[in-house]
Every structure is written in C-alpha cells, then in structure tokens.
Amino acid sequence: LAAMAMLGETTQSLTDQYLADLEDLDDAGSEAGEESEDIDEMEEDAEFDEEAAEMEALKASTGETLSGLWDSEKLQSHMKKIDAKLDIVPEPTEEFNYEEYDLVVQCNTMLVELHNEIVAIHKLVRDMYAPKFPELESLILNPLDYARVVKKIGNDMDLTSIDLTGLIPSATIMVLSVTASTTAGKPLAPEVLERVMQA
C-alpha cells in the first residue's frame, strides 16, 4: 500500500508538472503571437512608408514640388529648437523632462519624413535618368551618392573627362567609366535633364 501511495503521488506530481508545462507553452505561444503581430504591424508601416514615397514621386512627376520638407518652415523651426537646446547645459535632476522627450519624438518623426522624401526623390531621379545610364542604379545604391553622381555627369557620355573623386570610391569610378563606355543609354532631352537637375 505504501508503494502504491508513493506511485500515486509521483503520478500526481508528474501530471501537475505536465499541466504546468502546457500552461507555460500556451503563455509562450501567446507572446510569440504578439511578437508576430508586432512584426506584421512593422511590415505594414514599412509598406505604408514606401507607398507614401511613391505618392510623393507621383506628385513630382505632375509638377508639384517634391522637396517640400527640406525648405519648409516646419523643419527650420524644429532645427532652431534643437539648436536652442544644445546651447543649454542640463542640470542633474530626477524629474522627467517632458519638453526634451517631446523634442526627441519630433526628431524621430522628422527623420522618417526626411527619409521618405529622399526615397521619393531618388525614385524620381532614377526613373528619369535611366534612359541615359540604365546601369548606374545597380552600381551606386546609396540615394545621395546616386544624386551627386547624376548631377556631376549630367548629359556627358564620356565619363573619363569627369572628375568623380571624393563623391564615390575610386574602384567604383573605374567600374562606372568602363560601364559607361559600353552603355546603351542615350543623352536626355534638355527639358528632362533640367527636371532631373531640379529634383
């Protein structure tokens, strides 16, 4: 009887452990589900940002201004707020500074808007400049470097006469020169080139 009682207690404790493990798995599964939902939301946000950038590019192609944020009063006043805060030496305190927190949040929002604007301008320039030098977008992936190189090259077909030193690495300059000598691209019409340079 004593052996059966011990066996019953052991079986009961194993059953309790098994049920506890199942509950832990359910909790972990719900946390994983929440993480999965967070990832899905982040992917949707990224898709929305890309769609917003494409809408900006579409506005630009219809003649509306594209670089609205860079020249805006909103950005200028925000930069003045940052400069004013940089001039102040903070005193150690345990109180939470809501004003600085709000400024950091605004900075993050502004960075997202600037990124979207850069993406939209890059897409527009890339699409308009592709007939001139279609291989360029695969050789220079950084949007800002791409814009600088396009501005420097313009409508010239012979890249050996263009000094790209300081804009991109020398190895990339060599690849660009060789690729440009075999490209199937043709010079852009003056009005298209002017539009590219304005963007």
Side-chain angles (χ1 to χ4, degrees):
L1 279 171
M4 288 192 63
M6 280 178 45
L7 183 61
E9 288 175 9
T10 304
T11 306
Q12 183 65 30
S13 67
L14 287 175
T15 305
D16 290 341
Q17 288 178 351
Y18 180 71
L19 289 173
D21 287 343
L22 283 177
E23 288 176 6
D24 289 341
L25 284 175
D26 284 344
D27 291 341
S30 66
E31 289 175 8
E34 291 171 6
E35 288 175 8
S36 174
E37 288 174 9
D38 290 344
I39 291 171
D40 290 343
E41 287 177 13
M42 287 173 26
E43 288 173 355
E44 288 175 10
D45 289 345
E47 288 173 14
F48 178 76
D49 289 344
E50 292 297 324
E51 289 173 8
E54 288 176 13
M55 290 300 291
E56 288 297 321
L58 181 61
K59 284 181 184 178
S61 65
T62 59
E64 295 180 39
T65 182
L66 187 61
S67 59
L69 183 62
W70 186 254
D71 299 325
S72 70
E73 181 62 33
K74 177 181 175 182
L75 180 64
Q76 301 307 320
S77 66
H78 183 71
M79 294 304 291
K80 286 177 185 173
K81 287 179 190 175
I82 292 172
D83 288 339
K85 282 291 180 188
L86 290 175
D87 291 340
I88 298 172
V89 177
E91 295 180 16
T93 180
E94 292 185 18
E95 293 181 20
F96 187 75
N97 190 332
Y98 289 101
E99 185 180 341
E100 286 182 3
Y101 176 79
D102 288 342
L103 188 60
V104 170
V105 170
Q106 290 172 6
C107 286
N108 289 335
T109 303
M110 201 71 67
L111 285 173
V112 170
E113 291 178 26
L114 283 170
H115 172 74
N116 289 341
E117 192 167 290
I118 288 170
V119 168
I121 292 171
H122 179 247
K123 182 177 181 343
L124 176 69
V125 170
R126 188 186 64 211
D127 291 347
M128 289 194 306
Y129 202 72
K132 160 76 171 74
F133 195 174
E135 300 88 356
L136 186 61
E137 68 179 283
S138 63
L139 297 174
I140 301 178
L141 303 177
N142 182 301
L144 298 176
D145 290 343
Y146 184 90
R148 289 182 192 114
V149 169
V150 165
K151 187 173 184 178
K152 191 81 170 179
I153 293 173
N155 234 358
D156 288 339
M157 294 305 286
D158 181 19
L159 293 192
T160 57
S161 63
I162 299 172
D163 183 21
L164 297 173
T165 308
L167 294 179
I168 52 177
S170 57
T172 308
I173 293 172
M174 288 178 54
V175 172
L176 274 181
S177 298
V178 171
T179 307
S181 65
T182 61
T183 187
K186 300 192 176 0
L188 298 175
E191 61 273 6
V192 176
L193 181 64
E194 182 182 348
R195 183 121 173 85
V196 168
M197 295 303 168
Q198 285 174 351

